[in-house]
Amino acid sequence: MVLRGTNQEQARPYNRRIVLECIRNDGPATRGDIAERVGLTVQTVSTIVRELEEQGYLLSVREKPKGRGLPPTTLHLNPDGGFVIGISVTPLGVDAALLNLVGDMLGSAARSHPHPTPNDAFALIAELVAEMRALRPDGRMLGVGFAMPGPFDVQAMSFVGPTTLDGWSGVPVRARLEEVSKLPAFIAVDTVAAAVGVRLYGEGAGMAQFYYLHLGVGLGGTMMQDGVPVRGAWGNAGEIGHIPAVPGGLPCPCGNAGCLERYLSLDSFSQRPKQQSQAEWVAAVTPIFHSAVRTIENLFDPQTIVLGGLAPDDLINALVATTEDLQTSISSRYDRTTPRVTASVGHQSVLRGAAALAVSGVLSPRQDLPNSSDRVRERDPFSNGMAA
């Protein structure tokens, strides 16, 4: 989705964000390219670019000569123009990473703490933020992004059971995060954050339409539509882990039975019989996994499904390997240029995406939208600048 600028003087702050968003999403470009994409005059873009260069956000790079005359200059994000901290809280503990403006991960750290309470988590976050700041003590810190398991504000499902975080209902997450970090804070469900990370820095780069399937302690997913996460009316779209998979199956903490994540998740993997190997577990869940893949394909028609999350790389790769023999869905096309399912390994998508929340929140045009609240129980937990 391309946002458009306006050639009105009072809109200059908005237009600066438009130009930054264009380069961040689409890569280096000339002034003329940017003007055409965002609907501004070249003169307006040149004025904005000069300001952004002076502020340290952009760099002009002269291309190599290819003939007579001066080659054009392309505009790039300045990697050292700003830094952001990504924070991920899961039932396993707290992770943090420092990223620069172009998404390079400059350092990371983790604290293991099963099912951390809010007080425990924010004490650990304070330590981790200090560690990340120390990596670039003189750098311009733009903000902190925070990712946590959902869903939010759903009766009998939110913050209940082994795949979520007990005791977090009604916690003013944004206010507490800003208190311990002394930075602007931005929040998203972990699957949305991870999908944004994959879109900007991973296997989804260059893909406008893909589905990100997050294999964590539970199971969730997010559809990226025109490069933007589909959020749903209440911000909880993508809770595929609670789709009924086995009629009359295993009981789920949500109150239903046979939910998909009771069979396909790290919690399910850890509960497997002691004598069952990883390969045997993968073989056992393959029919259920394939059914979920076809359901996603028929519902969303994605370019590909990207499977990632907290699971070990070899487990993700083993599951993806089974999809070489998928049954028919609307994704069974003769003209495919990407596999139906792609692996995203390295465990960094959530942290990269959480950091991207801060970049978007501080620099993107959507920062101009008002925030509704900082409580995780609010209707739209992404209203504070979620952008891809």
Side-chain angles (χ1 to χ4, degrees):
M1 182 172 67
V2 178
L3 296 173
R4 307 290 286 181
T6 174
N7 289 296
Q8 297 178 6
E9 179 62 23
Q10 62 268 30
R12 287 176 67 183
Y14 177 83
N15 286 337
R16 281 195 291 269
R17 292 189 174 107
I18 285 284
V19 170
L20 280 170
E21 188 87 338
C22 178
I23 298 172
R24 191 169 74 94
N25 282 340
D26 300 329
T30 66
R31 290 164 175 79
D33 291 337
I34 295 170
E36 183 176 353
R37 290 175 191 170
V38 304
L40 295 171
T41 66
V42 174
Q43 181 179 359
T44 298
V45 169
S46 296
T47 300
I48 291 171
V49 165
R50 184 168 59 252
E51 293 174 356
L52 293 173
E53 286 179 317
E54 291 172 354
Q55 294 167 357
Y57 288 117
L58 292 183
L59 297 173
S60 292
V61 178
R62 179 77 67 181
E63 295 182 3
K64 292 182 179 180
K66 296 181 181 179
R68 301 178 66 179
L70 283 175
T73 58
T74 55
L75 299 163
H76 300 244
L77 289 178
N78 178 8
D80 295 327
F83 303 90
V84 288
I85 298 172
I87 302 285
S88 172
V89 177
T90 75
L92 304 178
V94 185
D95 296 76
L98 179 72
L99 278 72
N100 63 16
L101 205 55
V102 299
D104 297 325
M105 189 172 289
L106 307 177
S108 63
R111 298 286 191 276
S112 295
H113 195 301
H115 294 275
T117 66
N119 288 339
D120 291 337
F122 285 108
L124 296 175
I125 288 169
E127 295 177 9
L128 290 167
V129 167
E131 284 188 33
M132 296 302 102
R133 280 181 174 274
L135 296 175
R136 288 294 188 275
D138 299 323
R140 174 167 52 188
M141 294 292 165
L142 299 177
V144 57
F146 183 90
M148 65 185 299
F152 296 158
D153 197 29
V154 178
Q155 184 177 357
M157 286 177 64
S158 296
F159 313 109
V160 173
T163 65
T164 64
L165 293 168
D166 259 337
W168 284 72
S169 182
V171 174
V173 173
R174 185 175 302 112
R176 294 196 62 175
L177 187 56
E178 290 183 344
E179 180 183 1
V180 300
S181 69
K182 312 303 181 188
L183 293 168
F186 305 88
I187 306 168
V189 172
D190 54 4
T191 55
V192 171
V196 172
V198 167
R199 166 71 173 86
L200 290 174
Y201 312 124
E203 293 75 12
M207 289 189 192
Q209 330 284 338
F210 70 89
Y211 190 94
Y212 175 77
L213 185 59
H214 185 76
L215 183 60
V217 180
L219 185 72
T222 293
M223 179 65 195
M224 296 296 287
Q225 184 75 31
D226 295 328
V228 177
V230 174
R231 302 179 305 183
W234 304 96
N236 287 316
E239 282 295 330
I240 190 171
H242 292 286
I243 287 180
V246 178
L250 296 173
C252 182
C254 76
N256 296 319
C259 290
L260 179 58
E261 71 174 34
R262 291 296 85 218
Y263 302 89
L264 185 64
S265 65
L266 284 183
D267 185 62
S268 168
F269 182 69
S270 68
Q271 297 296 325
R272 73 190 190 281
K274 291 183 178 180
Q275 69 273 16
Q276 189 179 53
S277 68
Q278 175 176 297
E280 291 170 332
W281 182 84
V282 169
V285 302
T286 289
I288 295 174
F289 174 48
H290 286 193
S291 177
V293 167
R294 297 195 306 274
T295 297
I296 292 168
E297 290 175 333
N298 287 327
L299 281 174
F300 296 105
D301 193 21
Q303 289 173 264
T304 190
I305 295 172
V306 179
L307 178 65
L310 303 177
D313 293 351
D314 58 345
L315 181 56
I316 290 175
N317 285 325
L319 285 166
V320 171
T322 69
T323 62
E324 294 178 1
D325 187 26
L326 277 170
Q327 292 176 298
T328 300
S329 78
I330 61 170
S331 291
S332 306
R333 303 181 58 87
Y334 294 110
D335 59 350
R336 290 197 65 86
T337 57
T338 58
R340 287 169 66 178
V341 183
T342 305
S344 176
V345 296
H347 310 284
Q348 303 296 350
S349 293
V350 174
L351 284 174
R352 289 182 184 277
L357 297 177
V359 176
S360 294
V362 173
L363 300 181
S364 81
R366 293 189 182 102
Q367 172 65 3
D368 292 331
L369 295 176
N371 297 334
S372 60
S373 173
D374 66 351
R375 293 184 180 273
V376 295
R377 64 186 176 191
E378 284 297 324
R379 171 175 178 173
D380 186 357
F382 315 108
S383 63
N384 59 330
M386 179 63 257

